[in-house]
């Protein structure tokens, strides 16, 4: 192997090397050449040092050392000085695109391609290609002309012009969505992505329907810093007049020809603010395609600020809810505003600690009970060691006043004390590879006096109390794998009665504001035994799991709430069966639903099925099937969905098709902070 090098960073190695009188270098046999950012292989290479021109033929391979470009060709010419040249009968890769062409001309970072095809599929799996008469490849985009889109060599469409983004976060078209439903024979959504800068981007989506409201939505995102950002969106739709069939059974006073949604969120750390409002309560149901977006019960506009100091925490919140489940928003309970100061736990002397909560809340609604509330809850807490056990005692002095209030027949203020004594007992055992961790806690609570005060949230739950509760927490693991976690709670009231508030068990539902839709109502139960709550998560086998959250009334031998899920996971498949039911203390059914979902992955196909059945009306509320096929550089998804509309007593049928060409979604990455 012979070699030669020059002062301007050119090095050539080959089996045969000759230097001509005019300093031209001829290299033959296993030629390898290095020049700054290029590496070249060929059977034959001619190099002119003065002009820095390289001519190569025979198994030519050229690669840029930055990894952006590599090409194979029959013949290649490069002007290293001008960073230009051409390739004959070439194929190769530029960024994430693979090109094949009769001729490729290079002018610095711009490539002009004649008669070829382009794809993002790997070379050994060219399932989808775009054949073109000529194309231009820049640092940011690929422009191709007179295109034929082919899948497995079968022509699908003719495109006069195609534009694809190159690299990361380039502006361009995102995969469209096609579909139809009961009210529209044609739905087309086309998102357009614009990468404004490294920390800003936006997406404009055109939404076209042949009968229902058509319009567009614009989303803007900006990263201010690592933990601060701004997001905004506006959606505008034009509704045809007179109203179509989709308005049957609705309150026609809510009809709007011009429909909109305005939404933005600004997060500056301690200060946060947001706006979310719509023109009418049916907009989400009509224009959104995903079940999660269609069924949001409350939209929230807010201003929030907190100041966390060493000794205290100051919070300010103003939240306005928009109820999408009602034809108007007049009875929706708002917190406008809520101001709180929390004085943190501070030792008074030895083991005695003091904290205090002072809060003002304006509970406002246009129609219905409303009031302004001021509460002051100072608290003393004392841990005491006795007979080797630690008792945790707390005395909370509960004081509140309601000014003004439109409620009659209620107490305008309250002042009492709430005593709580806790005794936790820890029991840990290990038998072989099995670990048992248990916490048993006895909680005694006492309040000498109760009030008939307005009820807006749990802080208004000021009732006479003399009860004891038992709480058990168990964690069982075998060989490091968790088999069982169990939470069990029960209690006994020495007063012969206790207050039961059903919504307290709804706080885990995946939406905010549910508990604010009405006043806080309680049920007084004249019994000693309090409801027993059990939360179980059981996984006896790696592929089998059971979770259950139940509330049982031992007095009437009746389940008040039951939410249970059984999941089976086998290789690439899983099946989940769920049951959700709830009753009030009088045995009236509030919820009774069965859920079934199944998912399986077979080769490149993903199949998902889902059914939600309401046992009270004996109807499927939701039936859904989704099929997704992923190819080498493309994918197609089909969604079939039936949704039961209780107001119109009919099913809304939907069919959607999403086709992702050349995996364009990969080129629109999240914005960088």
């Amino acid at each position: 192997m012979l070699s030669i090098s020059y002062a301007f960073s050119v090095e050539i190695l080959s089996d045969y090397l000759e230097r001509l009188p005019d300093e031209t270098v001829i290299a033959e046999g296993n030629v390898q050449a290095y020049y700054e950012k290029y590496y070249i292989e060929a059977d034959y290479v001619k190099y002119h040092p003065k002009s820095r021109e390289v001519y190569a033929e025979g198994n030519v391979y050229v690669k840029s050392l930055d990894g952006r470009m590599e090409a194979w060709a029959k013949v290649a010419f490069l002007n290293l000085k001008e960073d230009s040249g051409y390739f004959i009968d070439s194929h190769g890769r530029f960024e994430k695109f693979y090109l094949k062409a009769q001729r490729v001309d290079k002018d610095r970072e711009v490539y002009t391609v004649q008669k070829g095809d382009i794809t993002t599929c790997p070379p050994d799996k060219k399932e989808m290609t775009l054949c073109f008469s000529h194309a231009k490849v820049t640092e940011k985009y690929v422009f191709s002309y007179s295109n034929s889109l082919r899948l497995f060599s079968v022509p699908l469409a003719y495109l006069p012009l195609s534009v694809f983004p190159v690299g990361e976060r380039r502006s361009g078209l995102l995969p469209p969505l096609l579909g139809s439903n009961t009210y529209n024979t044609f739905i087309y959504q086309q998102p357009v992505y614009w990468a404004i800068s490294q920390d800003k981007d936006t997406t404009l989506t055109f939404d076209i329907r042949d009968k229902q409201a058509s319009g567009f939505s614009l989303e803007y995102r900006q990263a201010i810093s690592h933990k601060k950002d701004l997001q905004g969106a506006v959606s505008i739709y034009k509704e045809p007049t007179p109203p179509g069939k989709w308005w049957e059974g609705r309150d026609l006073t809510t009809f709007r020809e011009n429909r909109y949604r305005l939404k933005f969120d600004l997060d500056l750390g301690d200060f946060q603010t947001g706006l979310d409002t719509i023109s009418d309560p049916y907009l989400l149901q009509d224009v959104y395609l995903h079940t999660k977006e269609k069924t949001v019960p409350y939209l929230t506009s807010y201003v929030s600020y907190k100041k966390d100091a060493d000794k205290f925490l100051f919070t300010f919140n103003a939240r306005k809810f928009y109820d999408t489940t009602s034809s108007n928003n007049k009875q929706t309970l708002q917190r406008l505003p809520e101001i709180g100061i929390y004085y943190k736990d501070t030792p008074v002397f030895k083991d005695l600690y003091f904290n205090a909560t002072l809060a003002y809340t304006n509970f406002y609604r246009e129609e219905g009970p409303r009031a302004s509330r001021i509460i002051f809850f100072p608290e003393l807490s004392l841990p005491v060691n006795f007979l080797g056990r630690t008792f945790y005692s707390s005395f909370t002095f509960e004081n509140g006043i309601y000014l003004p209030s439109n409620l009659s027949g209620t107490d305008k203020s309250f002042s009492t004390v709430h005593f709580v004594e806790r005794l936790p007992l820890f029991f840990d055992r290990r038998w072989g590879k099995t670990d048992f961790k248990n916490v048993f806690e006895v909680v005694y609570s006492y309040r000498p006096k109760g009030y008939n005060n307005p009820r807006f949230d749990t802080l208004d739950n000021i009732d006479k109390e003399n009860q004891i509760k038992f709480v058990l927490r168990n964690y069982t693991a075998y060989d490091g794998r968790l088999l069982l976690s169990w939470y069990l709670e029960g209690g006994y009231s020495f007063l012969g009665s206790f207050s039961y508030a059903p919504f307290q068990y709804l706080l885990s539902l995946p939406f905010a504001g549910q508990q604010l839709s009405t006043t806080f109502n309680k049920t007084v139960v004249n019994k000693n035994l309090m409801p027993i709550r059990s939360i179980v998560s059981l996984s006896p086998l790696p592929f089998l799991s059971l979770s259950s959250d139940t509330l049982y009334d031992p007095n009437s031998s009746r389940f008040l709430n039951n939410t249970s899920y059984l999941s089976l996971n086998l290789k690439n498949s899983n099946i989940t069966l769920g049951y959700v039911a709830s009753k009030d203390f009088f045995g009236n059914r509030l919820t009774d639903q069965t859920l079934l979902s199944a998912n399986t992955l077979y080769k490149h196909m993903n199949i998902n099925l889902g059914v939600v059945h309401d046992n009270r009306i004996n109807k499927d509320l939701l039936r859904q099937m989704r099929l997704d096929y992923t190819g080498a550089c493309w994918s197609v998804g089909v969604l079939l969905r039936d949704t039961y509309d209780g107001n119109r007593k009919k099913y809304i049928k939907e069919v959607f098709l999403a086709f992702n060409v050349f995996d364009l979604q990969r080129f629109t990455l999240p914005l960088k902070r």
Side-chain angles (χ1 to χ4, degrees):
M1 179 69 72
L2 304 175
S3 66
I4 188 172
S5 61
Y6 291 86
F8 36 81
S9 302
V10 175
E11 184 177 1
I12 301 175
L13 297 90
S14 64
D15 295 339
Y16 172 80
L17 193 62
E18 180 182 2
R19 188 171 186 174
L20 302 180
D22 62 353
E23 295 188 352
T24 298
V25 176
I26 303 296
E28 294 183 70
N30 297 316
V31 182
Q32 300 179 26
Y34 298 87
Y35 175 76
E36 292 185 352
K37 63 178 181 178
Y38 290 109
Y39 168 72
I40 303 172
E41 291 182 1
D43 295 336
Y44 172 86
V45 169
K46 180 188 289 187
Y47 175 63
H48 299 274
K50 293 182 179 179
S51 62
R52 299 186 190 177
E53 295 178 339
V54 178
Y55 174 83
E57 65 179 33
N59 299 313
V60 179
Y61 172 70
V62 179
K63 178 181 179 180
S64 62
L65 299 183
D66 60 7
R68 298 186 65 199
M69 182 274 291
E70 60 178 339
W72 292 260
K74 186 176 181 179
V75 175
F77 170 79
L78 289 175
N79 186 321
L80 301 178
K81 184 177 181 180
E82 301 294 334
D83 196 12
S84 62
Y86 62 82
F87 303 87
I88 305 297
D89 291 338
S90 174
H91 67 277
R93 177 186 61 82
F94 181 79
E95 292 284 357
K96 298 176 182 179
F97 288 92
Y98 295 91
L99 297 168
K100 183 179 180 181
Q102 291 184 1
R103 180 184 175 104
V104 179
D105 289 276
K106 172 180 169 57
D107 184 8
R108 299 186 184 276
E109 298 299 331
V110 178
Y111 297 82
T112 303
V113 188
Q114 303 295 330
K115 292 184 179 181
D117 61 56
I118 187 171
T119 183
T120 59
C121 292
D124 58 337
K125 292 183 179 180
K126 294 180 65 174
E127 298 174 356
M128 174 174 284
T129 57
L130 191 69
C131 300
F132 53 81
S133 62
H134 62 286
K136 185 177 181 180
V137 182
T138 70
E139 290 185 278
K140 295 184 177 181
Y141 296 98
V142 175
F143 302 88
S144 60
Y145 305 88
S146 299
N147 305 277
S148 174
L149 180 64
R150 300 188 178 189
L151 181 62
F152 295 106
S153 300
V154 178
L156 295 180
Y158 172 78
L159 304 172
L161 171 65
S162 294
V163 182
F164 299 108
V166 173
E168 298 182 350
R169 297 192 69 248
R170 299 298 186 194
S171 305
L173 298 178
L174 295 180
L177 186 142
L178 297 171
S180 66
N181 59 22
T182 298
Y183 303 115
N184 298 275
T185 56
F186 177 75
I187 298 175
Y188 175 69
Q189 289 188 348
Q190 178 59 67
V192 182
Y193 179 76
W194 180 21
I196 303 173
S197 64
Q198 187 179 23
D199 62 344
K200 294 184 287 290
D201 60 23
T202 187
T203 303
L204 173 64
T205 302
F206 297 96
D207 192 341
I208 302 172
R209 304 160 193 243
D210 62 336
K211 296 179 181 179
Q212 211 170 13
S214 294
F216 68 90
S217 62
L218 180 66
E219 298 177 59
Y220 175 80
R221 296 165 292 270
Q222 179 176 349
I224 301 173
S225 66
H226 180 64
K227 294 184 178 180
K228 300 177 182 180
D229 54 51
L230 168 66
Q231 299 186 41
V234 56
S235 300
I236 299 177
Y237 287 84
K238 184 75 171 181
E239 184 74 20
T241 54
K245 293 182 179 179
W246 50 94
W247 280 91
E248 293 178 357
R250 295 177 174 176
D251 184 355
L252 289 178
T253 62
T254 64
F255 174 78
R256 301 289 185 272
E257 183 178 359
N258 297 306
R259 310 176 72 182
Y260 63 84
R261 182 182 184 182
L262 300 176
K263 178 177 173 58
F264 87 88
D265 295 277
L266 175 63
D267 185 352
L268 298 178
D270 290 340
F271 176 79
Q272 300 175 342
T273 185
L275 170 69
D276 197 353
T277 186
I278 52 180
S279 58
D280 60 88
Y282 304 109
L283 179 71
L284 304 184
Q285 180 181 342
D286 287 348
V287 305
Y288 286 104
L289 304 181
H290 299 287
T291 303
K292 184 178 180 181
E293 296 172 323
K294 293 168 71 75
T295 57
V296 175
Y298 283 88
L299 306 181
T300 307
S301 301
Y302 62 94
V303 176
S304 176
Y305 174 77
K306 69 176 181 180
K307 176 65 176 179
D308 195 352
D310 292 337
K311 295 291 185 180
F312 68 89
L313 173 66
F314 171 80
T315 60
F316 173 89
N317 290 285
R319 297 185 180 275
K320 181 176 176 58
F321 299 98
Y322 188 103
D323 185 0
T324 64
T325 65
S326 173
S327 59
N328 63 61
N329 210 41
K330 293 182 178 180
Q331 296 185 13
T332 305
L333 186 63
Q334 316 289 351
R335 294 172 180 252
L336 297 172
E338 186 171 34
I339 304 172
I341 299 177
Y342 174 69
Y343 184 76
K344 298 179 181 180
D345 263 336
T346 303
V348 179
F349 63 88
K350 212 172 183 180
D351 293 328
L352 182 64
Y353 293 85
F354 173 79
N355 68 71
T357 299
L358 175 64
Y360 166 81
T361 307
N362 179 32
F363 294 101
Y364 173 79
R365 52 159 60 95
E366 293 184 51
E367 297 178 357
R370 57 183 179 268
S372 294
R373 182 189 68 192
I374 301 175
I375 61 170
F376 178 54
F377 285 11
E379 180 179 284
L380 292 172
S381 59
L382 177 67
V384 177
N385 292 318
F386 181 71
L387 298 177
R389 301 295 182 183
T390 302
F391 293 78
Y392 296 89
S393 305
S394 65
F395 296 85
T396 305
F397 302 91
E398 300 171 326
N399 305 276
I401 185 172
Y402 299 88
L403 289 174
S405 172
N406 66 345
L407 291 171
S408 60
T410 60
D411 295 329
K412 303 302 181 182
S413 64
F414 60 84
S415 182
T416 186
V417 64
H418 190 210
F419 169 72
V420 178
E421 184 74 42
R422 297 178 181 271
L423 174 62
L425 304 172
F426 300 90
F427 305 94
D428 295 345
R429 296 290 185 270
R430 181 177 179 87
W431 293 338
K433 294 184 178 181
T434 306
D435 289 307
F436 298 92
K437 295 184 181 298
N438 302 280
V439 181
F440 181 74
E441 187 175 26
V442 181
V443 182
Y444 174 76
S445 57
Y446 175 77
R447 184 183 288 116
K449 189 177 181 181
Y451 291 84
N452 183 31
N453 54 300
R455 306 295 168 112
F456 295 105
D457 61 19
T458 53
L459 293 177
D460 292 318
N461 191 14
I462 308 297
D463 297 305
K464 189 175 181 180
E465 197 173 280
N466 185 7
Q467 62 189 28
I468 188 168
K469 285 188 177 182
F470 306 93
V471 179
L472 173 66
R473 296 178 179 87
N474 168 262
Y475 303 92
T476 303
Y478 178 79
D479 199 19
R481 188 175 72 86
L482 184 64
L483 298 179
L484 171 68
S485 67
W486 186 21
Y487 174 91
L488 183 65
E489 176 189 299
Y492 183 89
S493 174
F494 298 102
L495 298 175
S497 64
F498 59 88
S499 298
Y500 170 71
F503 88 74
Q504 292 180 354
Y505 296 95
L506 298 177
L507 297 181
S508 60
L509 290 178
F511 43 78
Q514 171 80 13
Q515 65 272 28
L516 301 179
S517 61
T518 183
T519 52
F520 173 67
N521 296 315
K522 68 173 181 177
T523 299
V524 177
V525 182
N526 295 315
K527 299 290 183 179
N528 294 97
L529 291 177
M530 302 174 66
I532 300 172
R533 189 177 188 190
S534 173
I535 304 176
V536 178
S537 179
L538 176 65
S539 182
L541 300 170
F543 56 85
L544 181 66
S545 63
L546 170 67
S547 62
S548 177
D549 186 348
T550 60
L551 186 67
Y552 178 76
D553 177 21
N555 302 291
S556 60
S557 300
R558 179 188 300 132
F559 283 99
L560 301 175
N561 290 283
N562 184 6
T563 302
S564 300
Y565 292 95
L566 176 65
S567 297
L568 180 65
N569 298 278
L570 296 173
K571 292 185 178 179
N572 296 325
S573 302
N574 66 77
I575 299 175
T576 299
L577 178 65
Y579 179 69
V580 178
S582 63
K583 298 179 181 179
D584 60 21
F585 239 90
F586 307 103
N588 300 313
R589 286 196 303 175
L590 304 176
T591 307
D592 191 351
Q593 295 179 355
T594 305
L595 306 92
L596 174 65
S597 67
N599 185 80
T600 184
L601 179 63
Y602 177 73
K603 293 185 178 180
H604 301 288
M605 177 73 74
N606 188 15
I607 305 173
N608 183 277
L609 303 173
V611 177
V612 178
H613 185 82
D614 193 304
N615 300 311
R616 295 181 303 168
I617 60 175
N618 196 27
K619 292 285 186 181
D620 291 336
L621 301 183
L622 177 68
R623 297 191 293 255
Q624 178 174 297
M625 180 176 69
R626 178 163 184 165
L627 305 176
D628 293 289
Y629 183 89
T630 303
C633 63
W634 60 280
S635 64
V636 61
V638 180
L639 175 65
L640 308 174
R641 181 171 57 203
D642 290 347
T643 306
Y644 185 73
D645 190 323
N647 293 326
R648 288 168 244 176
K649 309 298 182 184
K650 62 184 292 187
Y651 282 97
I652 309 301
K653 297 184 177 294
E654 299 170 289
V655 179
F656 297 106
L657 173 67
F659 195 73
N660 189 2
V661 179
F662 298 132
D663 282 347
L664 293 183
Q665 193 72 44
R666 294 189 306 167
F667 301 136
T668 55
L669 304 179
L671 47 91
K672 300 178 180 178
R673 289 170 168 80

